[in-house]
């Protein structure tokens, strides 16, 4: 709360009667602050601004690489055999088969030599031959070949019961046809649009609170006026009764004044009820209980204060601060960017890719049941060729929408210019009306004073005195209405010129 607001509340409290000290005294600024802090619609608009900020950050993430890690495990019931069972058996018994074949070969060789007596005599009796044949017969190759065959057989049977795989991938967009840039601009404009909508809710709320505030001030002034008018008529009614008793006035004069006094009491009752209902409405707007006992700082003032007149603003400044035109301008710019997004679907897209993959088993150095990995890098290019002219139609639609909002923006600018001009004229008329009401009030008060003195001295009839009272009432009512009208016009003009500023960043 500002020092000025605190001072106003203090001065207003000093002006209150003793019985009203328990009431909660509220200034206009306090009512605004309470309404802003308690209004659910405004809170929802602020949340929408926050959400739009997150969308902007989400769109910005598209500039950065997308890095992800993946892991997988799979259990298989059977392994993979690259050879048949018969071939597997041959490999595992390769040594035995080779040993048998070699024994048969040696036996056959010996029989062949033995069948030739000359060769048999020469070779069989040779010590070298006997040594060679003995070495061949003693050589055992079955074990080594069986082991080698088993190893080869194992290589043809792949163990895939348990498979583990993992990988890290990276994708970095290089050129997406301008879609990422346009999407980021759209997200930024969407956040500004959410702020503009918040501004409109803020201005509508402040305007509603100001109008409710000055409505209460007006009704309170009318209530005091009705009370003063009733007091005057009751005093006049007592005087007439004395005149009737003295024979200088008729019963008809007494009845006429009594009727006016009853009318004054009815005016007072209506004003009292209207004041209660108006305060309930203000309590609803500022978040208080409807039956809260409140009193406004300007409620007990003798006259409605004249608002501070601000210098007229240029149309460009007004259009820049009005949330309606800002919203339409932002919407137009958003659809201009949507044209670029739709156009990007017809352009090539380039992205860099990089991956590192590991698996168990792996086949990088034969088939091995252990971890092994590799990396790869590449470039991906996508060139759209034909898809039923979809991208073209999207581009044309976005252009049409941008044109629509641009037309609405121009129309809104003209309407705002007309509205501001009209309110300035109404402000001038309200000022003139207030000046005339002040002049009429002076005349009515002097007329009432003269008529009261004449009535008390018996030189003015009761009808003339009643007419003076009625004119006094009318003059007071007109000056209250003129003051409130000027306040209301000023409220609407401040809103029309975009003077109400919120604290949204």
């Amino acid at each position: 709360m500002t020092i000025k607001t605190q001072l106003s509340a203090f001065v207003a409290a000093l002006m209150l009667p003793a019985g009203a000290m328990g009431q909660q005294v509220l200034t206009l600024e306090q009512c605004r602050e309470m309404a802003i802090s308690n209004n659910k619609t405004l809170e929802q608009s602020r949340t929408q601004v926050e959400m739009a900020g997150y969308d902007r950050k989400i769109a910005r993430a598209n500039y950065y690489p997308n890095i992800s890690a993946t892991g997988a495990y799979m259990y298989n019931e059977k392994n993979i055999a690259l050879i048949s069972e018969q071939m597997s058996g041959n490999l595992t018994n390769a040594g035995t088969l080779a040993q048998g074949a070699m024994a048969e070969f040696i036996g056959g060789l010996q029989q062949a030599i033995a069948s030739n007596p000359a060769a048999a005599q020469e070779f069989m009796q040779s010590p070298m031959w006997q040594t060679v044949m003995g070495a061949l017969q003693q050589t055992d190759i079955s074990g080594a070949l069986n082991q080698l065959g088993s190893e080869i057989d194992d290589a043809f049977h792949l163990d895939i019961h348990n498979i583990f795989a993992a990988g890290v991938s990276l994708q970095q967009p290089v050129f997406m046809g301008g879609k990422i840039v346009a999407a980021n601009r759209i997200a930024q404009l969407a956040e500004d649009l959410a702020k503009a909508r918040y501004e409109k809710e803020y201005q509508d709320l402040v305007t509603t609170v100001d109008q409710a505030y000055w409505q209460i001030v007006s009704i309170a002034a009318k209530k005091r006026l009705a009370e003063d008018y009733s007091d005057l008529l009751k005093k006049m009614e007592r005087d007439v009764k004395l005149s009737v008793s003295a024979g200088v006035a008729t019963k008809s004069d007494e009845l006429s004044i009594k009727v006016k006094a009853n009318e004054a009491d009815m005016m007072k009752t209506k004003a009292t009820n209207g004041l209660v209902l108006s305060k309930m409405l203000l309590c609803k707007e500022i978040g208080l209980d409807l039956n809260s006992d409140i009193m406004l700082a300007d409620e007990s003032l003798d006259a409605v204060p004249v608002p501070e007149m601000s210098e007229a603003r240029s149309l460009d400044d007004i259009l820049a601060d009005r949330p309606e035109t800002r919203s339409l301008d932002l919407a137009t710019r958003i659809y201009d960017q949507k044209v670029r997004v739709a156009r990007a679907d017809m352009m090539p897209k380039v992205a860099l890719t990089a991956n590192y993959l590991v698996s168990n088993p792996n086949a990088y150095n034969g088939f091995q049941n252990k971890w092994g990995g590799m990396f790869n890098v590449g470039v991906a290019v996508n060139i759209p060729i034909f898809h039923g002219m979809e991208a073209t139609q999207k581009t044309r639609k976005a252009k049409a929408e941008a044109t629509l909002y641009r037309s609405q923006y121009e129309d809104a600018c003209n309407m705002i210019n007309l509205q501001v001009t009209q309110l300035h004229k109404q402000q001038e008329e309200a000022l003139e009306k207030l000046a005339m009401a002040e002049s009429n009030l002076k005349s009515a008060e002097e007329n009432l004073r003269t008529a009261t003195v004449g009535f008390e001295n018996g030189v003015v009839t009761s009808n003339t005195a009643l007419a003076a009272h009625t004119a006094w009432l009318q003059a007071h009512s007109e000056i209250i209405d003129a003051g409130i009208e000027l306040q209301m016009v000023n409220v609407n003009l401040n809103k029309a010129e975009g003077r109400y500023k919120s604290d949204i960043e």
Side-chain angles (χ1 to χ4, degrees), residues 20 64 98 108 150 187 193 245 247 374 387 403:
Y64 301 103
S150 296
L193 181 59
S245 300
M374 69 170 184
H387 191 250
T403 302

Side-chain angles (χ1 to χ4, degrees), residues 432-452:
E432 292 179 3
K433 188 180 297 185
L434 180 61
M436 293 176 60
E438 290 174 347
S439 176
N440 292 337
L441 179 60
K442 292 179 180 179
S443 300
E445 288 179 342
E446 179 61 23
N447 183 39
L448 177 62
R449 186 190 67 79
T450 304
T452 302

Side-chain angles (χ1 to χ4, degrees), residues 69-220:
T70 305
Y73 166 78
M74 180 183 294
Y75 172 79
N76 295 300
E77 178 190 358
K78 295 181 179 182
N79 288 326
I80 295 178
L82 301 180
I83 57 176
S84 64
E85 292 183 359
Q86 181 181 358
M87 182 64 69
S88 177
N90 291 338
L91 283 173
T92 56
N93 296 309
T96 303
L97 294 175
Q99 188 72 34
M102 187 175 69
E104 290 179 1
F105 172 75
I106 294 173
L109 181 61
Q110 289 177 342
Q111 289 178 2
I113 294 174
S115 64
N116 188 342
Q121 183 67 25
E122 182 180 354
F123 285 102
M124 298 298 286
Q125 299 298 325
S126 173
M128 182 179 293
W129 172 255
Q130 292 178 357
T131 301
V132 171
M133 292 302 294
L136 288 175
Q137 289 175 352
Q138 293 177 1
T139 301
D140 184 9
I141 63 173
S142 61
L145 288 179
N146 283 341
Q147 182 179 357
L148 180 60
S150 296
E151 292 178 358
I152 296 174
D153 180 66
D154 290 341
F156 284 110
H157 288 79
L158 309 182
D159 181 7
I160 61 167
H161 276 306
N162 298 288
I163 297 179
F164 301 87
V168 178
S169 63
L170 178 148
Q171 295 88 31
Q172 173 63 57
V174 177
F175 178 73
M176 295 289 116
K179 179 178 287 189
I180 295 179
V181 176
N184 275 268
R185 290 175 180 171
I186 289 174
Q188 179 63 62
L189 293 171
E191 183 180 14
D192 294 339
L193 181 59
K195 292 179 180 179
R197 289 171 178 168
Y198 176 86
E199 289 282 353
K200 185 177 186 306
E201 294 290 345
Y202 177 89
Q203 292 186 6
D204 290 343
L205 178 62
V206 171
T207 301
T208 300
V209 171
D210 284 12
Q211 291 175 344
Y213 183 94
W214 293 115
Q215 183 70 23
I216 292 174
V217 172
S218 172
I219 296 176

